Amino acid sequence: MELQTIIREFVTLFVVIDPIGSIPVFLFAAAGVSPSLHRAFAIRAVLTAAVVLLVFLVGGQFLLEALGLRLGTFQIAGGIVLFLFALSMIFGESKPEQEIEDAASEDLSGAVFPLAIPSIASPGAMLAVVILTDNHGTSFAQQAITASLLLVVLMFTLLALLLAGRIQRIIGAAGASVVSRVMGMVLATVAVDSVLVGLETMGVLNLSPVGG
């Protein structure tokens, strides 16, 4: 796998998982938990999210094939959904604000909801890991690299949660909102690229450089 591809996949995973954006959600969900248990709380949330995302990474395409769907169509649909998700990050309520509001109307289930799902293992993240792995077009080694990148992003997420109190004091709620919107712009770009790649996979477009 080329370095450019590795960087692109890492950026995609980092944006859709949004470790910084999960900090306010963690602080809210852990508010009723003893500070001595915050470390275990964060670890449990990240482990839960990791299991969910790895299941989608390994079995997501098998599900598509069982339904008789082509990867190209899923890439296009996934790109559209990711683009809409990016628009909500840019123009709507920021990720922390929306998820904290949703959680306030539900009985919290500790680290699983709303922290592991849908904050860390969001629908966008589940969709992204399926789009990034093609069981027919990528080798096991390439998929292992993608899985490793996912785990690296999740480790960064865990570190951010463990330092949540300090980070929140530094950037504040407004800072977390700004970061979320900037990541929305990056995600919008990734989403458009996914649609173009899907069209190329289906033979609708030829994105090869002219003269290449």
Side-chain angles (χ1 to χ4, degrees):
M1 183 180 291
E2 297 180 355
L3 179 60
Q4 182 178 2
T5 302
I6 292 176
I7 294 175
R8 178 182 179 277
E9 290 193 0
F10 178 81
V11 170
T12 300
L13 293 171
F14 190 91
V15 168
V16 295
I17 292 175
D18 190 5
I20 303 301
S22 294
I23 290 176
V25 183
F26 169 77
L27 293 174
F28 176 84
V33 178
S34 171
S36 62
L37 297 177
H38 281 189
R39 179 183 178 87
F41 193 88
I43 293 174
R44 179 185 176 191
V46 173
L47 286 178
T48 301
V51 170
V52 172
L53 293 176
L54 287 174
V55 167
F56 270 84
L57 187 149
V58 173
Q61 188 172 346
F62 291 112
L63 176 61
L64 290 179
E65 293 174 347
L67 295 174
L69 301 175
R70 290 178 291 177
L71 181 62
T73 59
F74 191 75
Q75 287 174 315
I76 295 172
I80 294 173
V81 172
L82 289 178
F83 185 76
L84 294 176
F85 181 67
L87 290 181
S88 70
M89 292 174 67
I90 298 170
F91 297 109
E93 290 182 316
S94 66
K95 174 180 175 180
E97 293 168 347
Q98 182 62 53
E99 289 172 0
I100 290 175
E101 178 182 329
D102 293 342
S105 62
E106 300 284 348
D107 292 327
L108 295 180
S109 301
V112 176
F113 178 85
L115 187 54
I117 303 171
S119 184
I120 301 174
S122 65
M126 297 176 194
L127 204 56
V129 296
V130 176
I131 293 174
L132 291 176
T133 54
D134 179 359
N135 295 331
H136 303 297
T138 58
S139 65
F140 176 80
Q142 291 173 316
Q143 293 187 26
I145 292 176
T146 302
S148 298
L149 293 174
L150 172 62
L151 294 177
V152 169
V153 173
L154 289 174
M155 287 299 296
F156 188 93
T157 303
L158 177 59
L159 179 62
L161 296 184
L162 294 177
L163 298 176
R166 296 180 183 178
I167 295 176
Q168 180 74 353
R169 286 193 294 270
I170 293 173
I171 68 175
S177 179
V178 170
V179 170
S180 181
R181 282 169 168 75
V182 171
M183 288 187 170
M185 286 295 299
V186 177
L187 181 58
T189 305
V190 171
V192 172
D193 185 67
S194 175
V195 172
L196 294 177
V197 171
L199 291 172
E200 183 180 36
T201 300
M202 298 179 66
V204 178
L205 287 179
N206 181 7
L207 301 180
S208 300
V210 177

